[in-house]
Each structure stands twice: as C-alpha cells, then as structure tokens.
C-alpha cells in the first residue's frame, strides 16, 4: 500500500471529522424521537458520504497539496449552506422549537458538506489529470528535442508541422520559418542511393527507410538516412521523419574503399612480382648446389632458407591482404581437416629439412567450417614454431582431436623452443607482434587469429612441458 502524504492525511482527517461531528450533533438534535423518519435520517446519510469520501481520499494517489483542497471546499460548502440554513430556520420559517431548528440547520450543513466534498474531489482529480498531461507534454518535448537526430513531422500534404531543436540547428531555420514549408524545401538535395526512394507516397507503410539529402537554409546539402513512420499528430495522420547525418559514414566508406584498392594492388604485387622473382632465385640457388665447395654450402643454405622465408612472408602478406580487402569473405564451406593438415605437414617438412615435424596419433576424419585459407593457418603456425626456435634441430609435434559431442575440432601445435612469457601470451596475436628477438613482420599470428575468428573458432597459447609453446586452434565441425 502506498504511504499517504501529509496533505492526504490532513484532508482525510478533516473531512472524516466533519462527518463525525455532524453525526454527533444530529444525535443530540434527534434525541428520543424516531430517528428513522425521512425528515430526521437525511443528515446521517450525508454524514456517511463524508466519511466514505475521507476514506477514498486517504487511499488515493492525489498529491498532498492538491488533496488539501478537498477539506477546504468541504468547509466552505458547510459554512455557506449552514449559514443559509440558520437564516432560513430563524428568519423565514415560523418560530419552531430549538431542537427542530437545529435539525433544519443540520440538513443544510449536510447538503453543503456533501456538495463541497464532491466539488473538492472533482477539482482535485481534474488538477491531477491536468498535471499529468503537463508532465507528459514536458516529457514529450524533452524527448522530441533531446533526440540527437533531425526530427521533422509533416502532414499528408507534405507541409512541415513540427521540428525538433536538432533539426532547426542543422538546417539553419527558426521554428516559425520551417513550419509551414513544404518538405521538398528540406529534402531538396539529390537522392543518395541508386534507387528512386525519394519518390514516395505521402501515406507510406508503417515504416520505410531511405537515403536522401537535406538542404539547409543556406543552400548546402548533407547526406542523410531517413526513417519515415506514419503517426497520429494532433489527432490527424502525419509522417514522422527521423534523419541521421551519414556524411561521416560516407567519408569512412570512401576511405575504406581506397584502402581496399591499395590492399588489392599489394596483393597482386605479392602474388605476381615478389613471389615469382623469389621462386626464380630459389630455383637458380638449387642449381648451384653441385657447383659450390664445402665452405660455400653454408652460405648457399642461408640463401635458400632466406628465400624460402621471403616466399612464406609473401604468402602470409597476400592472405592477410585478401582478408582485409574483403576478398577472403567467401562463403564458408566444409573443408577436410585431415587432408588440409597433412598437406601442410608435407610441405613444411620439405621446406625445413633440419627440423623434425611429427604428427601424434591420427587426425579425426571430420570437415570443419572454413575456406581455402585454412591451409595458411597451419602453414603460419608451423613456420612460426620452426623459425622462432632456439634449437639447432627444432622439434614440432602436431596433434588433433574432437571435443565431446563432436562440435569442435582441436588442433595443437607444440614446439620445444624458448616459449612465450605468460604476460605476452594474450598479446602475440596482435598486428605487428613479434616473437622474442624475432626479425619477422608479426603478420603470421595476426593472420591466424583473423581467419580463425572469421571461421567462428578460437585460438590461444599454452605452455609446453618441459619447455616451449603450444598453440591451440579450435574449429567448428560441420555436421554431417
């Protein structure tokens, strides 16, 4: 139950007190007469009305200041009608016994009190309703003007009938100038989309969204995205327009398109120029294998290893460029995990003859949700494990399993290298992060994380025992 305010307590007490006082005086005036007679019982019924009104006032939700008006109107009605009753009983009627004259006055007092309390309750309720309407109006105006977007309302003829403060500021109008103007004076700029969405019916569906341009009072235009809704405004159908400035978004889209074109150009350079040239260098280097002496073999091996590293770097950079440029946003498909993993193992063993790359156990015969760049994930992890090793003969062990329920596949790439400090295990996947004393670009692991997240999987690092690092890749399994 809501705790009554002080005003309601006072008001209810005064009204109930008047009712009780009326009953007390009535009991004295009636005396031993038949109190149930129609001429005697009327004040008792009207007193009961006061008591009931006091109970309603006590339990109501009226504001305390408004509730005080009820006892005031009740007192005024009681005094006015009571005074008139005294005048009637003493001046207009034949002289009657005192107790009967008191009963006559009580009738007038009862009527006055009943009229007063009813008027007071009605006025209080009206005041409460008016106050609620005013608060709703203020809240509406605060909401209308507090929206950070341009808000316009026009009728079915296309005449602007309302605008918020944001619309006035952005369009450079005052309220009197903007209202009454046709909406075409504002939406006078070129349509920002290919479709002719600006040519719309004045009674649109419940909600439509289109792009156009708003024209300011100075004649400047700004691209906007408009949401139009059919509403009731002032009791008549109208169209509510909420317009959001998309100028910054357009600039960002243009900048993104420019960078995407640059990345595509980089992709072509990496794919055709650098990698092809390095393949020629490697091919010629291998032909020199039979023409160098024992001392030169070490230098030749360094040249070939460096060349292989450059080729792998171009592949990682190419794949990253494809991903960032959007070219890798291909529909995900089912990719065989054992075939992809085995193919990369064979390639890495050939590329790193001095390293031991082994597979522990069998790879589950499952398909994972990925695309053709999944091979790049394993290639970068194996390259990272070998190239960042501090051993003369690095050892890398790969294992694969599926989780309970066959929902995800887990691939672990464990090495016996120097390991990664715990404080850096969560940051090595960032763009530009490099291994300890590494001279690489740091793109490999960044590409790995980008692709795995695109597949809906996860990648993290664990410590290997007794030393080294384990990179764990989790991939979603495609249901058969």
């Amino acid at each position: 139950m809501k705790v009554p305010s002080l005003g309601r307590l006072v008001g209810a007490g005064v009204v109930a007190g008047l009712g009780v006082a009326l009953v007390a005086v009535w009991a004295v005036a009636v005396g031993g007469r038949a109190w149930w007679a129609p001429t005697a019982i009327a004040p008792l019924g009207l007193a009961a009305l006061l008591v009931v009104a006091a109970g309603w006032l006590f339990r109501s939700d009226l504001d305390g200041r408004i509730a005080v008006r009820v006892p005031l109107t009740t007192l005024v009605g009681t005094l006015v009608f009571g005074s008139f009753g005294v005048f009637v009983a003493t001046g207009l009627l034949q002289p009657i016994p005192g107790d009967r004259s008191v009963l006559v006055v009580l009738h007038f007092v009862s009527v006055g009190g009943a009229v007063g309390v009813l008027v007071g309750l009605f006025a209080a309720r009206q005041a409460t309703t008016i106050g609620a309407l005013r608060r709703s109006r203020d809240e509406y105006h605060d909401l209308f003007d507090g929206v950070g977007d341009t808000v316009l309302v026009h009728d079915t003829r296309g005449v602007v009938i309302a605008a918020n403060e944001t619309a006035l500021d952005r369009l450079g109008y005052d309220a009197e100038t903007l209202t009454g103007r046709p909406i075409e004076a504002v939406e006078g700029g070129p349509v920002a989309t290919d479709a002719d969405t600006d040519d719309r019916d004045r009674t649109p569906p419940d909600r439509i969204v289109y792009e156009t341009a708003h024209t300011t009072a100075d004649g400047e235009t700004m691209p906007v995205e408009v949401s139009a809704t059919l509403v009731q405004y002032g009791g008549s159908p109208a169209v509510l327009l909420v317009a959001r400035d998309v100028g910054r978004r357009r600039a960002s889209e243009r900048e993104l398109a420019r960078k995407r074109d640059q990345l595509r150009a980089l992709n072509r350079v990496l794919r055709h120029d650098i990698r092809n040239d390095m393949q020629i260098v490697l091919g010629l280097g291998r032909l020199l294998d039979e023409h160098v002496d024992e001392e030169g073999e070490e230098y030749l091996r360094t040249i070939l290893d460096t060349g292989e590293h450059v080729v792998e770097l171009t592949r990682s950079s190419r794949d990253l460029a494809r991903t960032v440029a959007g070219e890798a946003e291909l529909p995900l498909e089912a990719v065989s995990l054992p075939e992809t993993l085995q193919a990369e193992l064979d390639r890495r063993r050939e590329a790193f003859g001095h390293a031991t790359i082994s597979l522990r156990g069998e790879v589950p015969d499952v398909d994972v949700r990925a695309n053709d760049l999944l091979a790049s994930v394993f290639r970068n992890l194996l390259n990272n494990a070998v190239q960042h090793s501090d051993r003369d003969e690095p050892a890398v062990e790969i294992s694969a399993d599926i989780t309970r329920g066959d929902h995800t596949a887990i691939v672990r790439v464990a090495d016996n290298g120097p390991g990664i400090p715990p404080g850096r295990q969560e940051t090595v996947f960032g763009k530009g992060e490099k291994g300890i004393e590494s001279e690489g670009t740091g793109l490999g692991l960044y590409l790995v994380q980008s692709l795995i997240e695109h597949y809906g999987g996860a990648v993290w690092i664990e410590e290997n025992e007794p030393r080294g690092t384990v990179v764990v890749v989790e991939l979603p399994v495609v249901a058969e």
Side-chain angles (χ1 to χ4, degrees), residues 45 99 146 169-170 180 196 208 239 246 251 257 306-307 338 363 371 390 420 469:
D99 53 355
D169 292 340
R170 291 184 178 176
D196 190 15
I208 60 173
V239 178
V246 294
T306 303
V363 179
N371 55 27
D390 57 351
I420 299 175
T469 300

Side-chain angles (χ1 to χ4, degrees), residues 102-174:
V102 171
L103 194 59
V104 171
V105 173
L106 285 178
H107 279 76
F108 280 92
V109 170
S110 301
V111 173
V115 171
V117 74
L118 292 176
V119 170
L121 292 174
F122 177 78
R125 178 53 65 185
Q126 286 294 101
T128 300
T129 303
I130 293 173
L133 290 175
R134 287 176 177 172
R135 287 192 298 272
S136 298
R137 181 198 61 188
D138 294 340
E139 291 173 356
Y140 164 77
H141 282 298
D142 291 342
L143 179 63
F144 191 65
D145 291 328
V147 175
D149 297 328
T150 298
V151 179
L152 299 170
V153 181
H154 67 76
D155 59 20
T156 54
R157 298 173 299 158
V159 177
V160 178
I161 55 179
N164 68 346
E165 292 293 338
T166 303
L168 300 178
D169 292 340
R170 291 184 178 176
L171 297 175
Y173 289 97
D174 54 47

Side-chain angles (χ1 to χ4, degrees), residues 173-291:
Y173 289 97
D174 54 47
E176 292 75 13
T177 305
L178 184 56
T179 55
R181 296 175 67 88
I183 190 63
E184 285 79 4
V186 175
E187 291 190 354
V191 178
T193 57
D194 294 333
D196 190 15
T197 54
D198 194 42
D199 185 18
R200 63 191 184 284
D201 185 42
R202 287 303 173 190
T203 56
D206 290 342
R207 181 175 178 269
I208 60 173
V209 178
Y210 58 94
E211 292 189 5
T212 181
H214 276 179
T215 303
T216 66
D218 298 332
E220 298 181 358
T221 60
M222 65 180 75
V224 292
E225 181 183 79
V226 180
S227 174
T229 308
L230 185 64
V231 297
Q232 289 289 322
Y233 190 87
S236 301
V239 178
L240 172 67
L241 305 178
V242 180
R244 175 164 297 177
D245 187 358
V246 294
R248 292 182 179 178
R249 190 189 74 187
R250 292 290 176 76
S252 299
E253 290 175 349
R254 288 192 295 269
E255 179 64 17
L256 182 61
R258 185 181 67 83
K259 291 183 177 180
R260 184 181 294 113
D261 292 339
Q262 292 176 343
L263 286 170
R264 286 171 177 166
L266 173 62
N267 187 9
R268 289 192 295 271
V269 171
L270 293 173
R271 185 170 62 247
H272 295 293
D273 299 341
I274 298 178
R275 191 178 64 175
N276 291 345
D277 289 347
M278 286 308 305
Q279 293 288 7
I280 295 175
V281 171
L282 290 173
L284 294 175
R286 294 187 183 97
L287 292 176
L288 292 174
D289 191 32
E290 299 178 355
H291 302 281

Side-chain angles (χ1 to χ4, degrees), residues 198-418:
D198 194 42
D199 185 18
R200 63 191 184 284
D201 185 42
R202 287 303 173 190
T203 56
D206 290 342
R207 181 175 178 269
I208 60 173
V209 178
Y210 58 94
E211 292 189 5
T212 181
H214 276 179
T215 303
T216 66
D218 298 332
E220 298 181 358
T221 60
M222 65 180 75
V224 292
E225 181 183 79
V226 180
S227 174
T229 308
L230 185 64
V231 297
Q232 289 289 322
Y233 190 87
S236 301
V239 178
L240 172 67
L241 305 178
V242 180
R244 175 164 297 177
D245 187 358
V246 294
R248 292 182 179 178
R249 190 189 74 187
R250 292 290 176 76
S252 299
E253 290 175 349
R254 288 192 295 269
E255 179 64 17
L256 182 61
R258 185 181 67 83
K259 291 183 177 180
R260 184 181 294 113
D261 292 339
Q262 292 176 343
L263 286 170
R264 286 171 177 166
L266 173 62
N267 187 9
R268 289 192 295 271
V269 171
L270 293 173
R271 185 170 62 247
H272 295 293
D273 299 341
I274 298 178
R275 191 178 64 175
N276 291 345
D277 289 347
M278 286 308 305
Q279 293 288 7
I280 295 175
V281 171
L282 290 173
L284 294 175
R286 294 187 183 97
L287 292 176
L288 292 174
D289 191 32
E290 299 178 355
H291 302 281
V292 297
D293 55 20
E294 184 176 349
E295 181 180 357
E297 287 182 359
E298 180 180 355
Y299 300 113
L300 179 59
R301 174 53 53 188
T302 301
I303 293 174
L304 294 176
D305 289 344
T306 303
E308 289 286 354
H309 178 67
V310 172
V311 172
E312 295 304 326
L313 176 61
T314 60
R315 288 173 178 166
S316 297
S317 301
R318 178 203 62 190
D319 294 342
L320 180 61
R322 287 182 61 192
T323 303
V324 177
E327 295 179 5
E329 293 294 329
L330 304 173
L332 300 182
E333 57 187 5
V335 177
S336 173
L337 179 61
E339 292 180 5
T340 304
L341 189 55
Q342 187 62 53
E344 278 307 313
L345 282 174
D346 294 340
R347 295 189 184 99
R348 294 311 95 203
R349 285 166 176 164
E350 181 179 353
F352 301 113
H354 66 294
T356 301
I357 303 177
S358 61
L359 177 63
R360 187 182 69 184
E362 296 183 357
V363 179
D365 187 13
V366 295
D367 292 339
V368 294
R369 188 170 66 241
N371 55 27
D372 62 333
L373 291 180
L374 179 60
S376 180
V377 170
F378 299 133
R379 180 173 67 248
N380 277 281
L381 292 180
L382 293 171
N383 288 345
N384 194 70
V386 174
Q387 293 169 352
H388 293 166
S389 178
D390 57 351
R391 301 294 185 94
D392 293 335
E393 296 182 359
V396 183
E397 184 180 75
I398 298 91
S399 61
D401 200 355
I402 55 176
T403 59
R404 182 177 300 177
D406 299 343
H407 297 305
T408 56
I410 304 293
V411 178
R412 288 179 167 84
V413 180
D415 63 60
N416 63 346

